Amino acid sequence: MSRRTLRALGVGAAALLAAIAPLGVASAAVQPSAYLVEVEWQSLQPHSLDDCAGSNDLWVCLHSQVYGSLAVETTGGGAPAQAVVRNFGAPWDDVPGYCPSSSGPSWDTPSTYLSNCPRDVFTGSVNPFKNTLMCGSKTYANCVTGWKKNNNKVLVKVVPGQQLKLAAHVRDWDHGGPDDDICLKTVNLGGLTHQALAGLDTQSVMETQFNGDGACKVAYRVRTVGDVL
């Protein structure tokens, strides 16, 4: 091959690299339009339960039958709002008549027949949400999916600039009387920029202080698991 041919090939390769380099820089600068964020509801820990109603029986005082709703919402940022809900224990304010009135079912009951009945919990006990039957919805008022275990994780698409709101509402079912709130707490995660969402992975606890009927801690984890270009 002649020197003239080699020089021509060298010039052609240099021109090709010069054309490719700007494209590489532009590609690296492209940011995702949204991020896929997983919220894992980890556990419920009731404490300071006050369900004695004049009884000295420790079973009555330290035990509750609970139902509840766990919600994840996205708002703001010029994007459509989303709501993903997990319900457990019973239809809201509408406990079926066949549910046991004094005890049961257990938190980890496998019975789908009793899936919409309030669950047994005890003061100080840590109750993993993955072990209890939960249904999916967009509201606390009903279910749009069936009841199943390991249903404690939800996935939402978050656009930079949006806010992520987590809410826990758990009630003690009082057979024959008004139900009592033992968990009622909301946590707002704002400042969700590209940088914040790209590295998001946090675990925390939302706590409801004693309100005369009980108190609780709800543990959760929020992390980014993917993105959308």
Side-chain angles (χ1 to χ4, degrees):
M1 186 178 293
S2 69
R3 291 184 178 179
R4 181 178 297 176
T5 302
L6 289 173
R7 283 197 300 270
L9 288 173
V11 171
L16 179 61
L17 289 174
I20 291 174
L23 293 176
V25 171
S27 297
V30 174
Q31 291 181 309
S33 62
Y35 295 81
L36 300 177
V37 175
E38 178 189 84
V39 177
E40 177 186 2
W41 296 105
Q42 295 178 319
S43 63
L44 167 69
Q45 182 181 12
H47 59 93
S48 305
L49 294 176
D50 184 18
D51 210 22
C52 293
S55 172
N56 292 321
D57 187 336
L58 286 179
W59 167 268
V60 174
C61 293
L62 305 180
H63 159 262
S64 284
Q65 293 170 274
V66 300
Y67 62 92
S69 184
L70 308 169
V72 179
E73 298 180 40
T74 61
T75 59
Q82 301 173 74
V84 185
V85 177
R86 290 292 184 267
N87 297 318
F88 67 93
W92 204 256
D93 284 333
D94 188 23
V95 176
Y98 56 78
C99 291
S101 61
S102 59
S103 177
S106 65
W107 181 262
D108 59 355
T109 181
S111 172
T112 53
Y113 173 70
L114 297 175
S115 58
N116 56 348
C117 291
R119 311 287 157 74
D120 276 345
V121 295
F122 299 87
T123 190
S125 62
V126 177
N127 305 276
F129 284 114
K130 68 179 181 180
N131 292 348
T132 202
L133 294 162
M134 307 181 83
C135 71
S137 184
K138 293 184 178 181
T139 172
Y140 67 91
N142 57 43
C143 294
V144 296
T145 70
W147 298 87
K148 62 181 181 179
K149 294 185 179 183
N150 293 305
N151 197 20
N152 59 311
K153 296 179 181 179
V154 302
L155 197 65
V156 292
K157 185 170 71 174
V158 182
V159 174
Q162 283 193 306
Q163 177 176 270
L164 195 60
K165 183 170 77 172
L166 280 59
H169 193 176
V170 181
R171 281 183 164 178
D172 165 33
W173 178 47
D174 286 332
H175 182 65
D179 299 340
D180 304 317
D181 292 327
I182 60 171
C183 291
L184 187 57
K185 190 71 174 180
T186 299
V187 171
N188 293 304
L189 301 178
L192 297 177
T193 61
H194 278 285
Q195 183 177 2
L197 283 165
L200 181 62
D201 190 348
T202 183
Q203 296 189 74
S204 191
V205 173
M206 58 174 71
E207 182 172 6
T208 300
Q209 300 296 328
F210 182 66
N211 60 8
D213 297 306
C216 83
K217 296 179 180 179
V218 172
Y220 62 90
R221 180 184 183 185
V222 182
R223 66 189 183 111
T224 296
V225 295
D227 55 45
V228 180
L229 293 178

